[in-house]
Amino acid sequence: MSKGTFLKKLRLPNVFVLLLIVFISCALLICINFFTIKILSATRAYINGESHYSKGQKDASRYLITYLYTQDQKKWKSYIEELKVPQGDGLARETLIKVGDNEAARKGFLIGRNDKDDLDDLVWLFVNFKNMPFFAKAIHEWNQGDTLINELFIIGTQIDAKIKHNILTENDQKKFLKQITYISDKLTINELNFLNTLGKGTREIKSMLIIMNIVFILIIICSVSCYYSIMVKRLLTSKKEIEAKNENLSLVNHELDRFVYSASHDLRSPITSLQGLIEITKLENDVDQIRDYLNLMSKSLVKQDQFINDIIDYSKNKRKQIIIEPVSLKELFDEAISQMMYIENASKITITKDLLIDEIQSDSLRLKIIINNLMSNAIKYADVSKQEMMISIKTYFKEGFHNIEISDNGIGIKDEFRDRIFEMYFGTNKNKGSGLGLYIVKEAVENIKGSIAVSSENNIGSKFIVTIPNVYGI
């Protein structure tokens, strides 16, 4: 696998990765906001519970002071009832610390006058955030408050005992009042610290969650933007590819129209010539003249055969799949030379071979088309006026490429024709070829990722060098 193909395959999932990031970010955003609401709801429940805790403690202190001076049993009962509120919360705290979520803890919160709909949030926040700095500090303040509540309960028990035994003195009243007032003041400070700690923690959580929301929203926006950008690029690329294909299709259609027109003309021309020669031959009695006519007919058929072969090569080169396999250049040249001995003057040409390389990895069909056409041209355009006609064949390896070199001392190519010899149906001499040969050669060379170069001088000769890659797929 080539490096480019490997990287392309790596880039393919980009769109799906972006969609996955968006999906995960949205899911996390939903979870974060869900927990944000749950945390804030639980914090609200604790603040609401603290208000009941504070009110119960203050009402209990007030009833206890009243009982201290009036000895009214109703006030004692009211004191006991109100003191149960902070005691219930204290029971819930101790139970959650020791054993976690259970019925006793929930019952304690209900005694503390917390709404039953808030119980799940109260327990969830305690169990999951008890080790968080802000909540751990709030729990510490809560614990100190419960200690003070317990002291208040002991003082109440002492007052009740003295009243029931009728031993309460004025000094006792002053002492107990001072103790109750001190505890109440401490509890007020403690409750305020609890509220401030929860408030500060809530603000920190809110700030953190806002930042996380912004981060995930930015991730989603960036991912969507990247996805949009990739899709736009793909659409533009597809549009350019379609435009390029349409342009190529137009060129192919133009080329096909030209090919059909020229092919029909070149196919009909020999037939018309044959028909004319046959009619003339019917009227001729001279044997030598008839022989000349038959010779002309033979040349016309040879030309027709060559043109049909060119069309077949053109079709194969266009449609046949490229197959890279071991190919013997020596065998291809030997086959081409043996098949071309029927061409006029072929037997008079001296062909030399210097094959420094033989077997290569390439496409045998294209190489055969290339070699047959170049050899055919070298023979057909030989200079019969020269004392010795020759064709030189060389194969060699140079700078990482295989090279096939075919040179001759034929009639050469005029300067004004040299840049056009690879065009379809361009021929310097229509009587000697169809004008398709070199066009097919160039396409065949390009199909196997090679290149072709030509150097030629009029009346001196021509040299064609075909360069073929040593290795494919890099």
Side-chain angles (χ1 to χ4, degrees), residues 242-256:
I242 291 170
E243 288 174 351
K245 287 179 180 178
N246 287 336
E247 187 177 346
N248 290 335
L249 186 60
S250 298
L251 291 173
V252 169
N253 287 336
H254 177 71
E255 185 180 284
L256 183 61

Side-chain angles (χ1 to χ4, degrees), residues 56-291:
Q57 170 264 313
K58 286 180 170 53
D59 287 345
S61 298
R62 179 166 53 82
Y63 285 128
L64 183 58
I65 292 171
T66 304
Y67 178 59
L68 176 64
Y69 285 98
T70 64
Q71 300 180 13
D72 185 352
Q73 287 298 314
K74 290 182 179 179
K75 301 300 179 183
W76 171 253
K77 290 180 180 179
S78 296
Y79 157 75
I80 294 297
E81 189 66 29
E82 291 300 325
L83 196 63
K84 285 180 180 179
V85 174
Q87 286 176 332
D89 286 335
L91 173 65
R93 178 186 60 78
E94 290 179 1
T95 306
L96 287 172
I97 289 174
K98 291 177 182 178
V99 297
D101 184 10
N102 65 8
E103 197 61 37
R106 291 173 178 266
K107 186 176 180 180
F109 279 128
L110 286 175
I111 293 172
R113 294 177 182 169
N114 290 281
D115 194 293
K116 65 178 181 178
D117 292 333
D118 289 336
L119 294 183
D120 289 337
D121 289 340
L122 289 167
V123 171
W124 176 81
L125 188 67
F126 195 103
V127 170
N128 292 283
F129 288 83
K130 62 185 176 184
N131 295 321
M132 291 287 288
F134 85 94
F135 201 64
K137 186 178 179 181
I139 293 173
H140 175 69
E141 295 290 340
W142 188 357
N143 179 54
Q144 288 185 335
D146 288 343
T147 302
L148 293 170
I149 291 295
N150 188 51
E151 291 178 10
L152 185 63
F153 174 73
I154 292 171
I155 290 171
T157 303
Q158 292 173 350
I159 292 171
D160 183 55
K162 284 184 177 287
I163 289 174
K164 284 181 178 178
H165 290 86
N166 199 25
I167 57 174
L168 183 68
T169 65
E170 187 175 341
N171 288 332
D172 290 333
Q173 288 177 329
K174 290 180 181 179
K175 181 187 73 170
F176 285 133
L177 178 62
K178 185 177 180 181
Q179 289 175 343
I180 294 169
T181 303
Y182 174 78
I183 290 173
S184 294
D185 291 342
K186 289 277 288 183
L187 278 168
T188 299
I189 295 171
N190 179 259
E191 290 158 0
L192 185 61
N193 288 339
F194 179 84
L195 287 174
N196 289 337
T197 302
L198 279 182
K200 184 180 178 182
T202 304
R203 287 191 294 273
E204 288 177 358
I205 290 173
K206 183 186 76 172
S207 300
M208 180 180 67
L209 293 173
I210 287 173
I211 292 170
M212 292 178 71
N213 272 270
I214 292 171
V215 169
F216 280 110
I217 289 170
L218 287 175
I219 290 172
I220 292 170
I221 291 172
C222 290
S223 299
V224 170
S225 299
C226 289
Y227 175 80
Y228 177 77
S229 176
I230 289 172
M231 296 309 294
V232 168
K233 286 180 181 178
R234 288 190 176 183
L235 288 173
L236 291 174
T237 302
S238 298
K239 183 181 177 183
K240 288 179 181 178
E241 288 176 355
I242 291 170
E243 288 174 351
K245 287 179 180 178
N246 287 336
E247 187 177 346
N248 290 335
L249 186 60
S250 298
L251 291 173
V252 169
N253 287 336
H254 177 71
E255 185 180 284
L256 183 61
D257 291 341
R258 185 181 173 192
F259 174 80
V260 171
Y261 173 78
S262 299
S264 62
H265 176 271
D266 288 342
L267 285 170
R268 288 179 60 84
S269 180
I271 295 173
T272 304
S273 177
L274 280 171
Q275 287 175 336
L277 289 169
I278 290 169
E279 293 300 324
I280 294 172
T281 305
K282 287 179 181 179
L283 301 174
E284 187 59 58
N285 294 319
D286 187 347
V287 176
D288 291 334
Q289 189 63 50
I290 291 173
R291 189 176 288 110

Side-chain angles (χ1 to χ4, degrees), residues 306 309-310 312-314 316-317 323 325 327-340 360 362-377 404 406 437 440-441 444-445 448 466 468:
Q306 179 61 45
N309 285 334
D310 285 344
I312 292 170
D313 285 346
Y314 173 82
K316 288 180 179 178
N317 188 48
I323 300 175
E325 59 186 355
V327 183
S328 171
L329 295 178
K330 181 180 181 300
E331 290 179 6
L332 290 181
F333 276 112
D334 289 343
E335 183 183 346
I337 292 169
S338 65
Q339 289 177 353
M340 293 177 188
I360 65 172
S362 192
D363 182 88
S364 59
L365 173 64
R366 270 73 185 185
L367 284 177
K368 186 175 181 179
I369 290 172
I370 294 165
I371 289 172
N372 284 355
N373 277 281
L374 291 179
M375 287 297 296
S376 173
N377 279 358
I404 299 172
I406 300 175
I440 296 171
V441 167
V445 170
I448 57 175
V466 177
I468 303 168

Side-chain angles (χ1 to χ4, degrees), residues 400-462:
F401 291 89
H402 297 302
N403 289 268
I404 299 172
E405 183 180 305
I406 300 175
S407 57
D408 62 64
N409 64 341
I411 63 174
I413 304 169
K414 293 180 180 179
D415 291 343
E416 61 265 29
F417 297 147
R418 199 173 301 141
D419 293 336
R420 299 186 60 195
I421 60 173
F422 293 111
E423 293 180 9
M424 180 184 279
Y425 288 117
F426 180 81
T428 58
N429 188 338
K430 283 290 185 180
N431 292 324
K432 290 189 178 287
S434 64
L436 278 174
L438 288 179
Y439 171 80
I440 296 171
V441 167
K442 189 171 189 302
E443 285 217 328
V445 170
E446 289 174 351
N447 281 344
I448 57 175
K449 311 298 181 186
S451 61
I452 184 168
V454 58
S455 59
S456 181
E457 290 186 45
N458 193 32
N459 298 320
I460 301 297
S462 302

